[in-house]
Amino acid sequence: MGHASALLRFQQGFAARLLDRDRDINDRRPPGLAIHCSNVRVSLRQALVTTFPVVGQLVGEGFFQGMADAFVEAQPPRVGWLSAYGEGFPDFIASYPAAQTLGYLADVARIEWARVHAANAHFDPGLDLKVLAALPPHLLDQEVLTLPAGASVIASRYPVFDIWRAHQAGSLQHELQRIRPGAGGQTVLVTRIEPSATAAGVLGPGDAALLLAARRPSPLASVYAAAVDVDPSYDLAAGLRRLVDLKALSIPNALGRTRPTDGSPQCCRPDGH
């Protein structure tokens, strides 16, 4: 036990020194270790540059580097692959003092992370409308819907999709001049529409309300009510077709559902009971 405790203390101390820049000045360390610490920080910063290119373009290299270094120190990685690093960066940006005048910046970062998340999530083909069509009316309203594993919905007070899309275009300055940050909010859907392709787009008010309600598995009647609250004329059938085409809806535990011996569909709760 003594050797194990000593090893654990050494590992914890070593990990802390890797990301603490202040110790570079105050500690006497072998030159090789100092170089290794610098390389680790640079690698983590570069991972953020790769994942959040639009954020970097919006704030400039120097600002982004300072913000990234602060994030690396505050939230070191918890897994061993760089592609998974950065999930907490959008929330960190939202609280980063120097970025408080850029209210849209965190939501742009959320779009960028959502695209990484969608690309790496297990591909879910999503809801099959034939499943709903086969349900008897008394079960239809209680069918539970949710978002597929790779889907994200970002509700923003700013036109963040327009800002993000402008940075995908060749004529960046022309596109940006057409955007007014105070013009109103947008709700953005990011999904994995094919095994090797992701998509991002703006949702209408009804579709946005329905998907925001479905982020937690909820009965069809509940998510429809959420849509109608913001759009009294919301067409559920048309909305479901749109969202199914975008791979934005799924049925929890769809692979585990069973059918009665008479062949009629049987609904299940999210916990499978």
Side-chain angles (χ1 to χ4, degrees), residues 199-223:
V202 178
L203 294 167
D207 288 349
L210 188 149
L211 289 184
L212 288 170
R215 286 193 294 187
R216 297 182 61 180
S218 303
L220 174 59
S222 297
V223 299

Side-chain angles (χ1 to χ4, degrees), residues 118 123-128 146-152 189-195 197-199 211 240-250:
F123 178 65
D124 183 344
L127 174 66
D128 184 347
T146 192
L147 273 60
S152 300
L189 170 68
V190 179
T191 56
R192 188 172 179 179
I193 55 172
E194 296 177 3
T198 64
L211 289 184
L240 289 177
R241 285 194 295 271
R242 280 193 302 272
L243 297 176
V244 164
D245 287 344
L246 293 170
K247 300 292 188 291
L249 284 171
S250 185

Side-chain angles (χ1 to χ4, degrees), residues 97-215:
Q100 292 308 294
T101 58
L102 305 174
Y104 53 84
L105 193 64
D107 288 335
V108 172
R110 290 185 175 101
I111 294 175
E112 298 202 273
W113 178 257
R115 295 181 72 236
V116 172
H117 171 69
N120 288 282
H122 171 72
F123 178 65
D124 183 344
L127 174 66
D128 184 347
L129 288 178
K130 294 178 182 178
V131 172
L132 295 185
L135 287 173
H138 70 281
L139 290 180
L140 180 60
D141 284 351
Q142 296 307 310
E143 177 63 280
V144 174
L145 302 180
T146 192
L147 273 60
S152 300
V153 180
I154 300 101
S156 177
R157 295 180 298 156
Y158 303 93
V160 289
F161 179 79
D162 291 343
I163 295 171
W164 173 81
R165 183 175 57 182
H167 286 78
Q168 318 306 312
S171 55
L172 177 58
Q173 291 302 321
H174 174 72
E175 292 292 329
L176 288 176
Q177 289 172 0
R178 299 171 53 187
I179 300 171
R180 294 182 294 113
Q186 292 178 321
T187 300
V188 181
L189 170 68
V190 179
T191 56
R192 188 172 179 179
I193 55 172
E194 296 177 3
S196 59
T198 64
V202 178
L203 294 167
D207 288 349
L210 188 149
L211 289 184
L212 288 170
R215 286 193 294 187

